[in-house]
Amino acid sequence: MRITRRRPDSVQGPAEHFTGTVWLDETAAPDAPSRLRVFNVHFAPGAHTAWHRHPHGQVLHVQEGEGLVQREGGPVEEIRAGDTVWIEPGEQHWHGAGPRTFMTHLAVVEAAEDGTTTEWHDHVADYPA
Ligand code: MN
């Protein structure tokens, strides 16, 4: 058993994968054989990810605020505190804050055998105004 009282520094989401101001806090990344990765992700209003996929899928649990999520071929969907989204393995999608609202969600993934958690694609071209 291990209790973590001081976590790694918050990391800003890089501009190649995120639009706007996004901060990521690593909450859990246990040693092998676990491949669990948990992040707390804070999006400023209008901030959002680029299109991407996760090899083993992803759970998003909205903790605060209001945001948006979209899968390829689907509508932009509103999500708010208390909502939980399951993204299928390999499903192309993006997520982020609403245009005028902050949003914080927990992001839970299982890394692939090579350690990869995310395959990044293009920026979102039609984020709602
Ligand atoms: Mn995702």
Side-chain angles (χ1 to χ4, degrees), residues 49 52-54 58 60 87 93-95 109 118:
T49 71
H52 62 282
R53 307 173 196 264
H54 305 287
Q58 181 177 48
L60 301 175
I87 309 289
H93 69 289
W94 63 266
H95 35 104
V109 295
T118 307

Side-chain angles (χ1 to χ4, degrees), residues 63-98:
Q63 295 168 300
E64 204 178 354
E66 296 174 21
L68 301 171
V69 62
Q70 184 179 24
R71 66 181 170 85
E72 193 167 41
V76 176
E77 311 229 34
E78 293 183 5
I79 50 177
R80 49 183 50 84
D83 290 350
T84 304
V85 183
W86 166 244
I87 309 289
E88 296 286 345
E91 187 171 56
Q92 180 88 306
H93 69 289
W94 63 266
H95 35 104

Side-chain angles (χ1 to χ4, degrees), residues 1-8 27:
M1 191 178 88
R2 190 171 73 218
I3 298 176
T4 300
R5 302 191 194 279
R6 197 188 179 296
R7 43 195 73 272
T27 304

